[in-house]
Amino acid sequence: MEVEFAGTKHKVRKLEADAFTGVDVAFFSAGATRSRAFVPVARKAGAVVVDNSSAYRMDPQVPLVVPEVNGDLLGAKPGLIANPNCSAAILAVALAPLHRIAGLESVVVATYQSASGAGAKAMAELDQQVRDFAAGKELRAEVFPHVLAFNLFSHNSPVGKSGYNEEEQKIAEETRKIFSLPKLRMVPTCVRVPVPRAHSEAVVATFAKPIPLADAKRVLGKAPGIRVVDETEKNLFPMPSLASGELEVLVGRIREVEGDPHAIAFFISGDQLLKGAAWNAVQIVEELVKRGGLPASI
């Protein structure tokens, strides 16, 4: 089988133990089961692995990396690097510059997660529901537990005894690991919304030091991986339609929290298929090359 990409045809073969012979870098994005089965095989063959599944994210021996935040971990030239949960990666990019100047202490975040976070079938289901609505037909849900078109609902992952669902637990645990803050207070609420692509998040972050609004806007405006969209006069702020297809995380609605000089509120949008997944993985490899962990010919 062959697939064409950027004008070049590439041969696709079945994933087997010998598939990694001569491979320098292996990107894994086929789910935790496949990663657990084949990442050790790839490592044994000498490949550096960037894994986009949840299989190794919380392994204390495996760095969980967002290059703008903790790319220094790649200086140790690890052979296996975990790519974070999409919402956690987007959130971390926005929190990092503020954390550096004031010291992060707690985060309350509500996510607005698009259909594409659940895959191509979920996007197709949303599209069909919109078409059926326009045609006056009954709306049906098969991929999601509820109809997503013209609706929203709590993220479709199991809720644990703590009252938090799996997606919320991932965001909390992974954010703590990315920032090396195991006691960071996190209150995430994850919601599916009828948007095809790009996740958004409403954030209230509290810091150890007071953080003046002018300082927050200044550091966010200069931070790598961020584009500030905060045009109050035009009522123009981050939106999924602006973030879709973009490599940067859009940050706006930057404002003070009344009565708390240690807190800042803001709103972000980011393409979870790019910064939340594929682009972050590519950045990891680029950072490894820069730090001598991979040959420059990669």
Side-chain angles (χ1 to χ4, degrees):
M1 176 182 175
E2 290 185 339
V3 296
E4 186 172 325
F5 176 74
T8 302
K9 290 185 177 180
H10 302 268
K11 186 176 290 186
V12 178
R13 55 175 290 194
K14 183 179 180 181
L15 180 59
E16 295 175 331
D18 65 348
F20 302 98
T21 302
V23 172
D24 294 304
V25 179
F27 293 97
F28 277 71
S29 192
T33 300
R34 288 288 182 271
S35 290
R36 292 190 185 100
F38 284 96
V39 164
V41 178
R43 289 292 302 121
K44 187 176 181 180
V48 171
V49 174
V50 181
D51 182 36
N52 195 42
S53 81
S54 61
Y56 297 97
R57 287 175 184 163
M58 297 312 298
D59 186 326
Q61 303 303 315
V62 178
L64 182 66
V65 175
V66 178
E68 296 93 338
V69 183
N70 60 348
D72 58 299
L73 296 179
L74 301 175
K77 303 179 183 179
L80 170 58
I81 307 99
N83 217 22
N85 168 277
C86 51
S87 296
I90 292 166
L91 175 62
V93 171
L95 289 173
L98 302 174
H99 171 59
R100 291 188 184 106
I101 66 168
L104 190 59
E105 287 198 335
S106 69
V107 180
V108 178
V109 55
T111 70
Y112 305 76
Q113 295 183 222
S114 64
S116 57
K121 290 182 179 179
M123 293 181 71
E125 179 168 278
L126 174 60
D127 180 73
Q128 187 61 51
Q129 288 171 356
V130 172
R131 293 174 186 275
D132 288 345
F133 180 87
K137 298 179 180 178
E138 180 183 357
L139 307 190
R140 299 180 181 276
E142 295 179 359
V143 178
F144 286 122
H146 311 287
V147 170
L148 184 57
F150 311 103
N151 190 28
L152 54 82
F153 48 80
S154 180
H155 189 277
N156 52 300
S157 56
V159 178
K161 293 181 180 179
S162 66
Y164 289 87
N165 62 42
E166 284 185 0
E167 184 77 357
E168 292 159 353
Q169 292 169 354
K170 287 178 183 179
I171 290 175
E173 293 169 357
E174 293 180 28
T175 301
R176 292 177 183 125
K177 182 174 179 179
I178 291 166
F179 285 96
S180 298
L181 295 172
K183 295 184 179 180
L184 178 65
R185 296 191 299 276
M186 294 284 300
V187 185
T189 302
C190 295
V191 177
R192 284 284 185 205
V193 295
V195 170
R197 179 169 172 174
H199 291 351
S200 299
E201 304 179 25
V203 185
V204 178
T206 305
F207 302 87
K209 300 177 183 178
I211 183 164
L213 182 61
D215 290 351
K217 289 184 174 182
R218 174 179 53 81
V219 299
L220 287 169
K222 294 181 178 180
I226 287 175
R227 175 156 59 93
V228 172
V229 180
D230 204 40
E231 300 183 39
T232 304
E233 299 80 8
K234 297 181 180 179
N235 200 24
L236 180 61
F237 304 105
M239 298 182 287
S241 59
L242 291 178
S244 183
E246 299 295 322
L247 302 179
E248 299 168 307
V249 174
L250 310 186
V251 182
R253 295 299 316 279
I254 308 163
R255 59 204 189 277
E256 296 172 331
V257 175
E258 186 176 357
D260 190 350
H262 291 252
I264 291 290
F266 54 89
F267 191 80
I268 61 180
S269 291
D271 191 322
Q272 91 290 348
L273 300 177
L274 291 174
K275 185 53 194 172
W279 173 238
N280 194 74
V282 171
Q283 286 181 298
I284 287 171
V285 172
E286 290 180 337
E287 190 68 23
L288 277 169
V289 171
K290 188 187 303 181
R291 294 175 179 271
L294 284 169
S297 58
I298 292 294

